[in-house]
Amino acid sequence: MLQATLFETVSLWVVLGIALLGLAYALFLRRQIMAEDKGTEKMQEVWNAIRSGADAYLGRQLRTILPLIIVLTVALFFSVYVVPPSPEAAEWYRHHFGAENLQATKLIFGFGRAVAFIMGAFFSLMVGQFGMRMAVQANVRVAAAARSSFDKALKIAYRAGTITGMLTDGLGLFGGTIIFMVFQKAAPDALLGFGFGGTLLALFMRVGGGIYTKAADVGADLVGKVEAGIPEDDPRNAAVIADLVGDNVGDCAGMAADIFESYEVTIVSGLILGLSLVALTGEIKWIIFPLLVRGIGVFSSIIGTYLVRGGKEGAKTNALAAINKGFYTSAALCLVSFAFLAHFYMDEWRAFFSVGVGIILAIVIDELTKYFTHTEHAPVKEIARSSQTGSATLILSGLSVGFESTVWSILVIAGTILAAVVIYWGQPVAYVLYGVAMTGIGMLTLTGNNVAMDSFGPIADNANGIGEMAGLDKGARQIMADLDAVGNTTKAITKGVAIGSAVIAAVSLFGSYLTDVTKVQEQLGVPEALRLLFTGIRVSDPKVFIGMLIGGAVPWLFSSLTINAVTRAASLIVIEVRRQFKIPGLMEGTVKPDYKQAVGICTVAAQKELVGLALMAVLTPIIVGLVLQVEALGGFLAGVILSGQLLAVFMANAGGAWDNAKKLIEDGLYGGKGSDAHKAAVVGDTVGDPLKDTAGPALNPMIKVINLVSLLAAPLLIQYKITSPGVIAVVVVCTVAVVWAIWYSKREGAKEFHQVEDAVAKK
C-alpha cells in the first residue's frame, strides 16, 4: 500500500528496534540503580514514608481517572459510526481484503482507534508511574552515595532520571511506529486516539501532581519557615513528607507524562501533515522521515546520557557542565545524522533545516529560561534586591520579570514559524505546516536528555531532604545541596522546553486541523475555493472572532481553578501543621508528627479537581464547534494557543525567578536565612510555587487536549448544523457539564475547608 523501497522497509524495522533498545537501556539502568546501597536505618525510615505516600497517591489517582478512560474508549470506538472512516481507511481495507466493506472498515478502525487510545493512555501512565517509582527508589541511594562520592551521587541521580527519559522516548516511538506499520496511510485514523490517550493522561497527572506538590510545599513553607522559623526539611513539620512526595508526583510523574504527550502529538501531526504531502507529490519519504528522525534521537540520547559523570573534584559547575556535555553530545550526533539522512534519503536539505531549527529552538529556549530564572543573571538578582523593601516590592519585581520573559519567548516561537515559511518559500501552505511539525519533531529529538534533566531535580531535592532529616554529616549534606541547586536549574530549563514544545505541537495540530477539515470538505463536495485550507481562518468573520475571544479566555479560567485548588489545599495543610505544632513535645523533638494526615489531605485535594478540569478541556471545543462551526473553532484554537503560551511562560518564569531569588538570600545575601529579606522572599516563593509548578505546566496538556478533541470532532462538526434538535441537545448537555464542573470545584473546596477548620477549632 505504501510502495516502500527496501531501504524504507528495513528502516522502519530498525526504528522499531531502536525503540525497544531504548526500553532495554532503561531496564539496564534500573538494574544498576537497584544494586546501590540504601544507607542507614534512619535514612530508610524517611524514604519509606515518602514511598508509601507516593504509592497511595498513584493508587488514588488511578481509581479516579479509570472510569473516564473507559467512557472515552467506548466513545472513540463508536466515533467511526458517527463520522465514516477516511478514504485512506477504505483503501487500506480494500488492499488487505480485496473488496470494499464499509461496515467491516468501521469495525476495524473503531477498534483500532480505541486500542490506540488505551495504548496512549497506558504508555503515558507507565511513563509517569514507573518513572516516579524509580525516582523514589533513587533518592535514598543518592543520599547514601553522597556520604562517599560526588561523582557517584550525580551518576545515580542522573541515570535514575534517564530511566524516565528512555521510557518516554522508547514507548512514544514504539507506539507511533507500530500503529503506522499496521495501518500505513490510514494511520492517522488510529494515531489520533493514541495522541488523545497520552494527552488526557498527561493532563490528569500534570494537574493532580501540581496541586499535590504545591499544596504541601506552600503549606509547609508558610507555617515552617515563616511562622515557626525552622528549616525547610525539618522533621518536626508534619507537611515535610508530603512536600517530598509532591516533588515526585509533580516534577517526575507530571512532567514526564507532559513531555511524553508532546512527543506523541508531534509524531501524530507530523504523519498527518506528511500524508498531505504524499498526496501532492506521490512520495512516501514525507512520512518515513519523521520516524527516522525520532529513531536517531533515541539512539543519540542513549549515548549522550551515559556520558554524564561528575569528575573527581565535585562541584555545582562540574555537575551542570557534565549534564550539558551529555546534552550537546546527543545534539551533535543528531545534527550530523540528520544531514546524512537529508542528503542521501530525502535528496533535499529543507527537511534537515526544519529539524535543525527545532534543535536550535530547544537550545534558545534553554538559554532564555536560564537568563530569567537563574541566580547568576540580572532578573533574579533584581528580585532578590527588592526583598529589602518587603514582600510587595519583591512580588512586583517578579511579575515584571515574568511579563517580560513572555515577550521574548513568543518572538522566538514566531521566528521559528517564520523559519518554516522561509525554508519552504514558494511552496503550498501544506509544506510550511509540515515544516512546523518537523520543527516540533526536532525540538523533542532529545527528549531522553530533557526528561533525564527534569527528573534529576526532584531526585536530588528528595535526597537533600532525606539527608537533612536523617542528620547526615556536613560533607554529604554539601554534596546533596550542590546537586539540589543544579536540579533547580535543570527543572527550570525543562519547564521552558515543555512549554515551547507544547506550543509548537499545538501549532502543528492546528495545521493538521486545517488539512483534515479540508479533506472532509472535499469528500462532501465543498468547492475548493471554500475549503478551509484555502480560505484560511478569517478573523474578520464575527463568529471566528468570537471563537478566538472564548479560546483566549479558557486558559485563564483553567489557571484560576488550578490555583484556587492549590490555595484551598495549602490552607488545609497550614491548619493541620499549626494544630500539630501545638502537640506537647513535638517542637522539642520528643514526639513525632503525623505525616500521613498531611499526605492524605494533599492526595484527596489533588484528585477532586481532575474530572472537572478534564471535562472543561474536552467539552469546550465541542460546544464552540457545534454552535459557531469549524472556522470559528479554528479561531478558538488560535486563541487558546496564543493566550495559553503567554500565560504559561509568564507563570513558569515568574515562579522560577521568585524561587531562585529566595535561594540567593538563603545563601547569605541581604542577611540570609531568618532575615526580613528572607521572609519577604519566602512569601514571593510561595506565591510563585503554584504558578510555576501547577497552573503554568498544566496549560501544556490542556492546549493539546483541546486541539486533539477539535481534530477528532472536526468531521462531525462539518456534517451537523446547530438547527438540528440532536445537536441542540448535545450543546445543552455539554454546557451544563462544564458549568457543573466549575461550580463543583468551587463548592466542594469551600465546603471541605470549613469542615477541617471546624474540626481543628473543636480540638
Side-chain angles (χ1 to χ4, degrees):
M1 182 180 170
L2 276 177
Q3 299 177 341
T5 64
L6 177 63
F7 170 78
E8 289 167 336
T9 302
V10 171
S11 294
L12 284 175
W13 285 103
V14 170
V15 168
L16 194 64
I18 290 174
L20 295 173
L21 178 65
L23 297 175
Y25 178 51
L27 293 176
F28 165 73
L29 293 179
R30 180 185 183 276
R31 181 175 295 179
Q32 281 191 346
I33 301 298
M34 296 301 287
E36 297 292 344
D37 177 38
K38 290 190 288 187
T40 65
E41 186 177 334
K42 179 62 177 175
M43 292 165 66
Q44 292 184 48
E45 181 185 338
V46 177
W47 169 68
N48 274 315
I50 298 171
R51 185 167 58 87
S52 61
D55 289 346
Y57 169 80
L58 291 175
R60 177 70 181 257
Q61 183 185 63
L62 187 60
R63 291 193 299 273
T64 301
I65 63 181
L66 198 58
L68 186 60
I69 296 299
I70 293 171
V71 169
L72 288 173
T73 301
V74 174
L76 283 171
F77 174 78
F78 285 106
S79 66
V80 295
Y81 290 91
V82 179
V83 180
S86 65
E88 288 81 8
E91 182 187 346
W92 181 91
Y93 186 88
R94 188 169 58 251
H95 175 80
H96 284 83
F97 297 99
E100 290 190 7
N101 187 326
L102 181 60
Q103 293 305 314
T105 305
K106 286 181 178 179
L107 181 66
I108 289 172
F109 279 87
F111 184 73
R113 183 176 288 181
V115 169
F117 172 76
I118 293 171
M119 188 189 301
F122 175 72
F123 283 0
S124 187
L125 189 70
M126 186 175 175
V127 165
Q129 291 224 3
F130 188 78
M132 197 209 77
R133 291 180 196 279
M134 277 313 304
V136 173
Q137 290 288 343
N139 54 30
V140 71
R141 290 168 168 85
V142 172
R147 297 176 300 172
S148 58
S149 165
F150 178 89
D151 177 54
K152 190 174 182 181
L154 171 63
K155 280 198 291 187
I156 294 172
Y158 188 78
R159 289 182 180 179
T162 302
I163 293 172
T164 310
M166 297 318 300
L167 284 173
T168 305
D169 258 351
L171 291 174
L173 185 60
F174 178 80
T177 306
I178 281 288
I179 291 170
F180 176 74
M181 291 176 75
V182 171
F183 292 110
Q184 300 177 28
K185 286 184 182 179
D189 284 65
L191 277 170
L192 285 174
F194 182 63
F196 184 44
T199 303
L200 190 66
L201 258 292
L203 179 66
F204 284 134
M205 300 189 80
R206 178 45 103 182
V207 172
I211 292 171
Y212 186 113
T213 183
K214 290 305 108 181
D217 194 5
V218 171
D221 281 357
L222 286 176
V223 185
K225 288 184 181 179
V226 178
E227 294 183 8
I230 60 177
E232 181 169 355
D233 293 316
D234 194 296
R236 294 170 293 179
N237 191 328
V240 71
I241 293 295
D243 188 11
L244 293 172
V245 171
D247 290 334
N248 294 292
V249 300
D251 284 324
C252 285
M255 177 62 89
D258 183 3
I259 294 182
F260 173 77
E261 50 96 12
S262 286
Y263 191 89
E264 281 184 329
V265 162
T266 49
I267 288 180
V268 172
S269 58
L271 292 179
I272 290 174
L273 292 166
L275 280 170
S276 68
L277 295 189
V278 172
L280 286 174
T281 65
E283 298 177 293
I284 65 166
K285 65 182 184 180
W286 305 105
I287 49 179
I288 301 294
F289 181 69
L291 294 173
L292 294 179
V293 166
R294 279 287 158 82
I296 291 168
V298 173
F299 189 74
S300 300
S301 287
I302 291 173
I303 296 172
T305 53
Y306 202 75
L307 292 176
V308 174
R309 58 197 67 225
K312 295 179 181 179
E313 295 179 13
K316 287 188 282 187
T317 51
N318 287 347
L320 196 54
I323 291 171
N324 284 334
K325 176 186 174 183
F327 179 83
Y328 287 114
T329 299
S330 296
L333 288 171
C334 283
L335 285 171
V336 172
S337 302
F338 295 162
F340 275 96
L341 195 61
H343 182 72
F344 293 105
Y345 172 59
M346 295 296 285
D347 197 28
E348 52 116 273
W349 284 85
R350 293 176 302 181
F352 167 75
F353 291 135
S354 294
V355 292
V357 165
I359 293 176
I360 293 170
L361 173 63
I363 294 171
V364 171
I365 288 179
D366 278 3
E367 296 304 318
L368 262 180
T369 306
K370 282 181 192 175
Y371 176 74
F372 284 106
T373 61
H374 199 278
T375 54
E376 294 178 356
H377 298 293
V380 171
K381 290 179 179 177
E382 178 59 35
I383 294 172
R385 190 179 301 118
S386 66
S387 67
Q388 297 174 94
T389 51
S391 55
T393 51
L394 178 132
I395 289 172
L396 288 172
S397 182
L399 290 175
S400 173
V401 167
F403 287 140
E404 182 188 350
S405 69
T406 62
V407 176
W408 304 113
S409 293
I410 204 75
L411 289 177
V412 169
I413 298 293
T416 302
I417 298 171
L418 179 61
V421 174
V422 172
I423 290 167
Y424 289 98
W425 188 264
Q427 298 294 330
V429 69
Y431 282 87
V432 176
L433 296 174
Y434 179 79
V436 174
M438 289 306 98
T439 299
I441 294 276
M443 186 178 185
L444 290 172
T445 294
L446 302 177
T447 290
N449 301 70
N450 285 326
V451 176
M453 289 166 66
D454 180 73
S455 295
F456 170 83
I459 291 169
D461 191 357
N462 269 213
N464 197 20
I466 290 171
E468 183 170 329
M469 295 183 73
L472 294 189
D473 64 84
K474 187 177 179 180
R477 289 296 318 282
Q478 186 58 51
I479 287 175
M480 288 183 284
D482 288 346
L483 291 176
D484 190 12
V486 173
N488 286 326
T489 302
T490 59
K491 282 192 296 184
I493 290 170
T494 48
K495 280 187 177 69
V497 171
I499 293 169
S501 67
V503 175
I504 292 296
V507 173
S508 303
L509 286 174
F510 185 67
S512 302
Y513 176 79
L514 295 176
T515 57
D516 267 20
V517 169
T518 301
K519 187 184 295 184
V520 175
Q521 288 174 328
E522 182 181 356
Q523 288 178 248
L524 296 174
V526 176
E528 183 175 328
L530 298 178
R531 295 173 196 164
L532 197 60
L533 196 59
F534 302 99
T535 62
I537 305 295
R538 299 164 297 175
V539 183
S540 57
D541 185 331
K543 289 195 295 184
V544 174
F545 196 76
I546 292 168
M548 188 173 67
L549 292 175
I550 297 171
V554 166
W556 295 81
L557 178 58
F558 193 88
S559 299
S560 168
L561 294 177
T562 51
I563 292 173
N564 201 27
V566 172
T567 303
R568 291 195 307 263
S571 298
L572 298 177
I573 292 293
V574 167
I575 292 170
E576 177 61 25
V577 175
R578 281 176 180 166
R579 180 187 71 79
Q580 293 201 31
F581 275 166
K582 296 175 183 176
I583 297 173
L586 188 139
M587 294 303 289
E588 291 75 23
T590 57
V591 175
K592 287 186 178 180
D594 183 359
Y595 297 125
K596 289 184 179 179
Q597 181 67 15
V599 168
I601 289 172
C602 291
T603 301
V604 172
Q607 305 309 314
K608 279 184 176 294
E609 310 297 327
L610 294 184
V611 174
L613 290 169
L615 284 175
M616 186 190 305
V618 170
L619 298 180
T620 48
I622 294 174
I623 296 169
V624 170
L626 287 174
V627 174
L628 300 175
Q629 294 300 291
V630 288
E631 190 178 343
L633 181 56
F636 173 83
L637 296 179
V640 167
I641 293 169
L642 175 61
S643 175
Q645 197 273 345
L646 290 170
L647 192 55
V649 172
F650 159 71
M651 290 193 287
N653 286 348
W658 275 318
D659 188 2
N660 279 334
K662 178 201 69 175
K663 287 180 170 60
L664 263 183
I665 294 169
E666 287 180 342
D667 287 340
L669 197 64
Y670 306 126
K673 292 183 179 180
S675 65
D676 289 340
H678 182 236
K679 290 178 180 178
V682 169
V683 172
D685 180 37
T686 53
V687 171
D689 271 340
L691 301 187
K692 70 180 175 66
D693 290 327
T694 306
L699 289 175
N700 303 342
M702 184 217 72
I703 292 170
K704 283 169 284 187
V705 165
I706 286 176
N707 275 270
L708 279 166
V709 169
S710 301
L711 258 176
L712 288 164
L716 175 70
L717 304 176
I718 295 171
Q719 297 184 52
Y720 295 91
K721 304 298 180 184
I722 188 61
T723 51
S724 166
V727 172
I728 293 172
V730 170
V731 170
V732 170
V733 170
C734 290
T735 304
V736 169
V738 171
V739 172
W740 172 84
I742 298 169
W743 170 83
Y744 175 81
S745 175
K746 292 179 176 293
R747 176 183 176 276
E748 285 300 304
K751 179 181 175 184
E752 184 183 56
F753 179 80
H754 291 307
Q755 285 176 344
V756 174
E757 197 175 38
D758 292 342
V760 171
K762 288 178 183 177
K763 290 181 181 179

